[in-house]
Amino acid sequence: MIVRERLVQAAREGVVAWEGLVAHGRGEAFDYILGERSVPEALEAERAGTAHLLTARRPVISVNGNVAVLAAPEVKQLAEATEAAVEVNLFHRTEERVGKIIHLLHDAGLDSALGADPDASIPGLDHPRALCVKEGIYDADVVLVPLEDGDRAEALVKMGKVVISVDLNPLSRTSRAATVAIVDDVTRALQNMTRLAAELAQNIDAIAMAKQEYQKESNLAGIMRAIRDNLGRGSG
Ligand code: PTJ
């Protein structure tokens, strides 16, 4: 089944939020303009993000409906490679959707996804968007947030966390707020990061360099150049 049909089916089954289909369409448009590949700036940001996950005290990968349907096996692999916890954390939260997404992650081999019993809340957000788990996102020092909403990304940064976003829109509030902004498709990004985790593991110097060399503003400027160049080619 092609990706779009999988998401539509998952929305009918109540796993993906209806708004998730709109978000996916937006992502597809940016991916198309970027050439449906991981551009060099994306790989650089993925390297920096992976380095942060590997050196975190408490790394957490946040999973929503779209991420679970698009990339559950990739979430599992990256969680294993970086020893990160996984928390189902929804923008359009219902307990039923949380349960279905945890089930989907179990089917992909991930036994211990958090999120069913939230006991903390992200300051500055209204209930139930703020709900999270204390030993998960609330106490995490580094959080990977694929396809995140802007308000929540900003709120997590305000909590003092290193926030690594995966968002194909380089202009989104999430990309602007994140500490490390990965502009790439979520499935490709997580696959690249798992490979990079194996490459960087045990190499303290390479990890430090990956963090140090990443400059968000110039990275996003490079993405904007790639978009302009591709659009220019199309109109020529
Ligand atoms: O499952 P829930 O309830 O947590 O809701 C999830 C959505 C995605 C609906 C919610 O977080 C939301 O409304 O997000 P936004 O504000 O629409 O932002 C999602 C961002 O993800 C947009 O900027 C899209 O361009 C981007 N995006 C969409 N598909 C992909 C993507 N980025 C990377 N890979 C994709 N496949």
Side-chain angles (χ1 to χ4, degrees):
M1 211 190 294
I2 64 166
V3 170
R4 198 185 295 176
E5 280 170 16
R6 239 167 60 209
L7 279 166
V8 170
Q9 183 59 27
R12 289 199 185 104
E13 288 166 5
V15 176
V16 163
W18 291 114
E19 293 82 352
L21 298 182
V22 179
H24 183 72
R26 199 158 51 238
E28 273 184 336
F30 278 105
D31 201 27
Y32 186 71
I33 295 171
L34 281 163
E36 294 175 321
R37 70 200 162 103
S38 302
V39 296
E41 289 81 2
L43 286 164
E44 204 178 285
E46 282 153 8
R47 201 176 173 81
T50 307
H52 277 289
L53 286 174
L54 286 170
T55 47
R57 186 177 37 82
R58 270 175 185 253
V60 173
I61 303 173
S62 178
V63 172
N64 62 25
N66 289 51
V67 175
V69 170
L70 293 172
E74 285 80 8
V75 168
K76 177 196 176 255
Q77 282 152 15
L78 182 62
E80 276 175 8
T82 57
E83 293 178 25
V86 173
E87 177 170 339
V88 175
N89 194 261
L90 302 184
F91 188 73
H92 305 281
R93 185 185 179 97
T94 67
E95 299 320 310
E96 198 190 345
R97 280 189 65 226
V98 174
K100 286 180 177 174
I101 293 167
I102 289 179
H103 198 264
L104 213 152
L105 290 169
H106 279 184
D107 285 350
L110 205 126
D111 301 325
S112 56
L114 303 168
D117 301 303
D119 53 1
S121 104
I122 301 167
L125 296 179
D126 51 305
H127 196 82
R129 278 164 199 183
L131 289 175
C132 66
V133 175
K134 174 130 179 41
E135 59 163 313
I137 286 177
Y138 192 85
D139 277 343
D141 53 341
V142 178
V143 196
L144 176 66
V145 288
L147 281 69
E148 184 57 282
D149 153 79
D151 282 345
R152 294 204 320 178
E154 282 172 0
L156 292 170
V157 170
K158 273 197 196 132
M159 287 177 84
K161 300 178 192 307
V162 169
V163 173
I164 307 159
S165 63
V166 181
D167 188 332
L168 276 158
N169 180 359
L171 300 167
S172 73
R173 271 203 297 134
T174 299
S175 296
R176 296 285 159 197
T179 322
V180 176
I182 297 169
V183 181
D184 200 356
D185 168 69
V186 62
T187 310
R188 284 199 307 267
L190 299 183
Q191 285 169 352
N192 290 340
M193 291 173 84
T194 300
R195 181 176 45 74
L196 287 163
E199 190 187 310
L200 289 172
Q202 320 301 338
N203 190 339
I204 296 167
D205 292 343
I207 289 175
M209 205 180 287
K211 287 204 242 178
Q212 208 184 319
E213 283 180 350
Y214 172 76
Q215 301 289 333
K216 192 177 98 171
E217 294 313 323
S218 63
N219 188 281
L220 287 178
I223 297 273
M224 294 307 293
R225 262 196 309 278
I227 289 178
R228 266 199 309 273
D229 290 350
N230 286 352
L231 287 175
R233 261 196 288 279
S235 65

